[in-house]
Amino acid sequence: MSSTLRFQIVGEAFSKKAVEVPARKERPSEFFAKYVFNRQKMQKYLPADVYKKMCDVVEGEAMLDMATADAVAAGMKKWAMELGATHCTHWFQPLTEGTAEKHDGFVEHDGKGGMIEEFTGKQLVQQEPDASSFPSGGIRSTFEARGYSAWDPASPVFVFGDTLMIPTIFISYTGEALDYKAPLKKSLKAVDKAATKVARYFYPDVKKVVSNLGWEQEYFLVDEGLYAARPDLLMTGRTLLGHDSAKNQQMDDHYFGSIPMRVAAFMKDLEVEALELGIPCKTRHNEVAPNQFELAPIYEETNLAVDHNMLIMSLMKKVARKHGFRLLLHEKPFAGINGSGKHCNWSLSTNTGILLHGPGKTPLDNLRFVTFIVESLMAVYRHNGLLKASIISATNVHRLGAAEAPPAIVSSFLGKEISNLLEHLEKGIDSPFPFGGEGSAEGTPSPFERVGEKPTLSLDIPQIPSLTQDNTDRNRTSPFAFTGNRFEFRAVGSQQNCAAAMIVLNTAMAEALTDFAMRVDALIAEGLEPVKAILRIVREDIRTCKPIRFDGNGYSEAWKQEAANRGLDVETSAPIILDQYLAPSTVEMFSRMNVLTKAELEARNEIKLDTYIKKIQIEARIFGDLCMNHIIPTSTRYQTQLIKNVAGIKNLFPAEEAERLNRTNLSLIAQMGEHNAFIIENVERLIEARRVANRIKDGRQRAIAYHDNVAPLIEKIRYHVDHLELIVDDELWPLPKYREMLFIH
Ligand code: ADP
Ligand code: MG
């Protein structure tokens, strides 16, 4: 691209007006879930008995039989065709990031030479996409390439464009999970079982516990013309070169600032489309970096929340294009400014409406609260390395530990009040509680009394002041922070499927609660009162999981050392972090909780390593090309201009004066020469490093070679390229600069 073209694109981007979004007459409550086959639609489009059966199926209380499936499919087809759908697809979440789909038309031969629209129960329930091109980590060799996708009735079908989308799990011929949804559902079942048992110590009427997830999706917008002029953005999702803009986020003027008009129009459009798809969007605002924004819905049951996040990621890309933008979900599209994450707010609640991670009214509620907080900490403590492995990727590594995101050490922030409470409990129940509150056990009926066991013990757990986000200290450096009635896992990357982290978190919680209940039951069997038994085990666990608690500055060097001393996982190399998928504690947990087998874990590890390698391989290639056919020629051209200038001055002036006048240009010519030489030499080394790495047979070793020898070279070379950008005539520079990409609306 010539720089004239660059100026033209920049000019066009500046002068674009906001796309008109027609105002809606209906209120959100009227168009919410318009395109979702939810209960209301089921009731309308299904015969009464089928509707009733489906409700049980959705609740997980009945199995789906073929006759019901056929009846449901008929109702769905009618509804979908009224909305203009012509195709249907099973929609699943393979182990690559993103979703996959294969569309089939509703058409069938009618046997008389014509066509009819058809959609049967069988099509609804199961498909066999030829899945040989999805990663399977060696589980499924190509000769048995078939994978099965099977409908997940817990997540309602919806119409997207002209297609009826059916959320499904995706498994191999031999039954192993090839996706995120299958193990996620198993982990949710495991945590339901374990948490229900524990919740019933406190509330005997609890029948079910669900896991909640509220994600906060961050993203960048870039004008599409500028995006198209950056091959690195186009191919890798991030800028591989580009000097800092003189102004970026140092003024803190973007965060919560007023939303630019073109962006506001986009957000409005997106929100309406999301609401129509049943995604309960609630918050939108600018983020810290220029051109960075965030979108958050109201939290939902985790399986549905994950589906909604996957859906919104594709929806937002689509809507952005209508508005002349490209939407970037990469965790670090621009160096030197904040990257994008996806905070995952997580909690458990009962079918009776109790938020298990939230403080309650009675001392017993609060013992329940403490139990669930402490067991969450136990889960994270035992599997902190694995939790980190669940979110590590070639792209998220650029964000972790940089100034905007938690470091690559998982620890948990509780805030002063909860920390004091745990210390109080740890010391023993007889010591006075450090902060006031009316809650003493006296006079408060305990559920244990209700079930006929008289407590002889006064529960010294005071009222816990109701904690809102406002009075919990907000520690942005903590990866797993308690924020009032939930934990917020902040290390998740913006483009990741939250399920990877949610599978680990919920399974680890299931394991912790199972172990908790086993120990409590053993004490009860020995004759100890339930409350005493619970307190004893809680106290034991408060001590055990202490190393995971950290309220200090996660960015400090001292913390790295301290965390290592505490035995937390401080590994920073992504391929080695991924070993955690195969750690004995991981394999044991997943098989005990019946979520993933060893073979499935091996497959996941292999796929993650492979993805890691490919991402860096692509970056290295694009970067090498950009250096050699964009940067070096431009730099050489400018250098030649300067050389001509120097020669001209030499001709015009007496030698001594010419020397003085030429001094600065000569220095620039030399600097450019040095940068050019460094770049050319090291691009060759980069190619060689790739070649050497590619020859390594073992996937893990190959990934390590990419991590140790390829990735760092890109950064080293970039330093020189970015310096050239400061020297070379702006007129000649071929690629849109940071200041042009980041401040245009
Ligand atoms: P922040 O101040 O962290 O940006 P928000 O108010 O934007 O917080 O909320 C973040 C997300 O947390 C939202 O999706 C919200 O619905 C969700 N959330 C709130 N309470 C809970 C909870 N108890 N469990 C899970 N998610 C929750
Ligand atoms: Mg948040």
Side-chain angles (χ1 to χ4, degrees):
M1 180 175 64
S2 77
S3 56
T4 2
L5 188 54
R6 175 180 136 227
F7 292 140
Q8 191 186 328
I9 294 168
V10 172
E12 275 168 17
F14 260 109
S15 56
K16 279 186 193 163
K17 296 266 175 301
V19 173
E20 285 277 336
V21 182
R24 285 264 166 172
K25 284 197 197 69
E26 312 101 304
R27 284 147 44 136
S29 59
E30 291 168 78
F31 58 79
F32 180 71
K34 178 177 166 188
Y35 292 107
V36 183
F37 197 68
N38 55 14
R39 265 175 208 241
Q40 273 170 317
K41 315 288 173 16
M42 287 198 317
Q43 198 168 19
K44 187 169 163 202
Y45 286 85
L46 303 181
D49 56 327
V50 178
Y51 168 70
K52 208 174 150 293
K53 183 82 191 270
M54 263 315 288
C55 289
D56 292 344
V57 170
V58 170
E59 292 297 327
E61 280 159 15
M63 293 291 280
L64 188 69
D65 58 79
M66 225 33 200
T68 309
D70 276 331
V72 173
M76 260 179 202
K77 187 187 78 176
K78 183 165 186 301
W79 165 78
M81 285 177 59
E82 282 171 18
L83 290 170
T86 52
H87 286 67
C88 70
T89 185
H90 276 199
W91 181 67
F92 55 96
Q93 301 167 21
L95 291 169
T96 48
E97 247 108 55
T99 53
E101 47 199 77
K102 172 181 163 245
H103 294 200
D104 285 326
F106 282 147
V107 289
E108 268 309 324
H109 289 295
D110 67 356
K112 300 175 209 141
M115 285 290 199
I116 52 164
E117 278 88 23
E118 197 172 79
F119 177 58
T120 61
K122 187 164 180 310
Q123 281 170 292
L124 168 64
V125 172
Q126 191 175 310
Q127 272 189 359
E128 295 173 20
D130 172 14
S132 50
S133 50
F134 292 108
S136 69
I139 278 181
R140 180 176 26 91
S141 39
T142 30
F143 63 85
E144 45 175 48
R146 268 200 246 168
Y148 290 88
S149 55
W151 181 32
D152 168 21
S155 182
V157 304
F158 54 95
V159 169
F160 192 49
D162 63 2
T163 305
L164 176 67
M165 312 282 283
I166 304 163
T168 58
I169 58 166
F170 181 45
I171 52 178
S172 78
Y173 183 71
T174 39
E176 284 96 354
L178 297 173
D179 71 345
Y180 283 110
K181 193 188 249 293
L184 177 67
K185 285 180 70 82
K186 287 186 178 174
S187 73
L188 296 174
K189 194 170 152 193
V191 82
D192 170 16
K193 186 171 160 217
T196 300
K197 176 157 173 41
V198 173
R200 289 177 73 153
Y201 288 132
F202 307 94
Y203 319 108
D205 55 338
V206 169
K207 291 215 165 55
K208 192 173 164 57
V209 170
V210 298
S211 158
N212 305 307
L213 166 62
W215 41 261
E216 302 165 51
Q217 180 70 56
E218 293 182 334
Y219 59 95
F220 278 86
L221 287 172
V222 176
D223 180 83
E224 65 185 355
L226 293 161
Y227 173 87
R230 291 284 312 218
D232 47 354
L233 259 187
L234 205 105
M235 311 285 267
T236 71
R238 76 165 172 131
T239 53
L240 296 168
L241 47 91
H243 198 278
D244 277 356
S245 164
K247 173 180 189 287
N248 50 43
Q249 62 191 46
Q250 66 275 66
M251 306 285 288
D252 280 335
D253 51 358
H254 188 66
Y255 193 52
F256 286 177
S258 75
I259 298 171
M261 273 166 73
R262 267 182 81 192
V263 177
F266 155 76
M267 285 180 169
K268 199 167 140 193
D269 214 2
L270 172 64
E271 227 165 56
V272 170
E273 289 212 26
L275 286 167
E276 285 180 338
L277 285 164
I279 306 171
C281 291
K282 190 168 168 68
T283 329
R284 57 183 186 199
H285 60 76
N286 290 0
E287 261 304 326
V288 175
N291 272 20
Q292 193 189 24
F293 308 93
E294 182 187 293
L295 169 93
I298 302 167
Y299 71 89
E300 300 176 282
E301 185 278 321
T302 297
N303 178 37
L304 189 60
V306 166
D307 284 357
H308 279 165
N309 182 246
M310 297 311 286
L311 179 57
I312 208 149
M313 287 197 284
S314 40
L315 180 67
M316 60 210 296
K317 286 186 189 161
K318 194 184 106 184
V319 176
R321 296 192 65 173
K322 265 206 312 207
H323 292 260
F325 290 120
R326 286 301 182 125
L327 188 133
L328 310 179
L329 288 176
H330 193 287
E331 283 84 2
K332 192 79 173 180
F334 302 97
I337 57 174
N338 281 14
S340 300
K342 180 152 51 202
H343 293 179
C344 283
N345 295 268
W346 169 81
S347 66
L348 298 177
S349 55
T350 68
N351 66 313
T352 53
I354 296 161
L355 195 53
L356 294 169
H357 283 96
K361 290 197 175 59
T362 67
L364 208 83
D365 284 334
N366 288 334
L367 181 57
R368 175 270 302 158
F369 168 71
V370 169
T371 300
F372 280 87
I373 297 296
V374 171
E375 293 315 308
S376 303
L377 295 177
M378 282 295 281
V380 174
Y381 171 56
R382 277 202 222 159
H383 299 284
N384 69 88
L386 176 64
L387 208 51
K388 180 162 74 182
S390 75
I391 53 89
I392 207 75
S393 71
T395 51
N396 203 19
V397 289
H398 294 289
R399 171 182 162 263
L400 292 179
E404 70 273 24
I409 301 169
V410 173
S411 66
S412 182
F413 168 89
L414 292 180
K416 239 191 235 108
E417 275 162 336
I418 310 293
S419 298
N420 285 349
L421 175 61
L422 295 196
E423 266 149 42
H424 166 74
L425 284 172
E426 187 188 341
K427 278 188 208 129
I429 50 168
D430 296 330
S431 64
F433 193 73
F435 58 78
E438 332 124 40
S440 97
E442 260 77 50
T444 317
S446 138
F448 292 96
E449 277 179 291
R450 274 189 265 132
V451 294
E453 293 177 59
K454 272 213 172 304
T456 54
L457 152 104
S458 151
L459 247 186
D460 179 32
I461 300 182
Q463 190 84 357
I464 296 166
S466 92
L467 297 152
T468 62
Q469 288 194 13
D470 305 328
N471 64 18
T472 49
D473 324 24
R474 306 218 65 188
N475 183 335
R476 306 290 296 182
T477 71
S478 179
F480 196 75
F482 182 70
T483 51
N485 56 13
R486 62 192 185 265
F487 281 98
E488 184 168 333
F489 187 37
R490 300 190 176 127
V492 182
S494 46
Q495 62 182 329
Q496 292 177 332
N497 186 330
C498 324
M502 286 296 121
I503 292 167
V504 172
L505 194 53
N506 286 296
T507 310
M509 185 63 171
E511 182 195 52
L513 290 170
T514 305
D515 289 346
F516 175 83
M518 263 168 48
R519 286 173 296 154
V520 168
D521 284 353
L523 291 181
I524 294 174
E526 284 170 21
L528 207 65
E529 277 175 51
V531 172
K532 272 192 180 164
I534 290 171
L535 265 172
R536 191 181 292 177
I537 302 299
V538 164
R539 187 170 306 136
E540 189 176 302
D541 288 352
I542 290 176
R543 290 195 192 109
T544 309
C545 70
K546 224 173 184 174
I548 200 74
R549 280 162 52 194
F550 178 63
D551 282 10
N553 176 9
Y555 294 162
S556 67
E557 277 306 308
W559 169 234
K560 285 184 193 154
Q561 191 50 53
E562 162 77 14
N565 294 345
R566 291 185 185 189
L568 300 180
D569 190 307
V570 293
E571 182 59 57
T572 56
S573 161
I576 296 174
I577 290 172
L578 290 174
D579 286 348
Q580 290 295 326
Y581 272 94
L582 306 175
S585 56
T586 304
V587 176
E588 198 207 286
M589 171 186 85
F590 277 124
S591 73
R592 239 184 103 200
M593 295 296 116
N594 206 4
V595 174
L596 286 164
T597 62
K598 186 152 187 249
E600 288 171 319
L601 287 166
E602 280 165 355
R604 255 149 238 261
N605 171 263
E606 193 182 314
I607 291 165
K608 287 197 180 226
L609 286 171
D610 194 50
T611 310
Y612 178 84
I613 293 168
K614 283 183 181 144
K615 290 243 160 118
I616 296 180
Q617 192 173 50
I618 293 169
E619 285 191 350
R621 284 187 189 152
I622 307 289
F623 183 70
D625 289 355
L626 279 176
C627 285
M628 296 315 293
N629 36 29
H630 282 65
I631 306 306
I632 294 295
T634 307
S635 158
T636 310
R637 195 175 311 152
Y638 185 53
Q639 199 188 32
T640 310
Q641 281 184 12
L642 290 184
I643 291 170
K644 277 192 193 142
N645 178 278
V646 166
I649 286 177
K650 223 173 173 179
N651 278 340
L652 284 176
F653 292 92
E656 213 167 297
E657 204 173 347
E659 201 193 313
R660 188 174 58 82
L661 292 174
N662 273 332
R663 205 167 297 148
T664 46
N665 274 351
L666 281 171
S667 150
L668 284 179
I669 291 165
Q671 280 178 46
M672 292 168 75
E674 297 289 349
H675 289 310
N676 288 355
F678 187 95
I679 294 167
I680 295 170
E681 239 166 64
N682 283 281
V683 166
E684 268 164 31
R685 282 179 56 206
L686 185 64
I687 295 168
E688 185 52 27
R690 248 166 50 214
R691 201 173 288 144
V692 171
N694 291 342
R695 275 201 293 264
I696 302 173
K697 285 258 156 18
D698 177 68
R700 179 176 180 274
Q701 290 304 330
R702 190 161 65 247
I704 291 174
Y706 265 92
H707 173 273
D708 293 354
N709 307 328
V710 179
L713 258 183
I714 299 180
E715 300 309 317
K716 268 197 199 137
I717 302 170
R718 175 185 182 145
Y719 174 85
H720 292 268
V721 173
D722 290 353
H723 272 75
L724 279 175
E725 186 187 316
L726 293 182
I727 299 175
V728 171
D729 181 1
D730 188 49
E731 291 259 3
L732 297 179
W733 197 256
L735 299 166
K737 295 184 172 180
Y738 270 26
R739 62 165 186 265
E740 293 160 344
M741 287 187 286
L742 284 171
F743 295 94
I744 289 171
H745 303 299

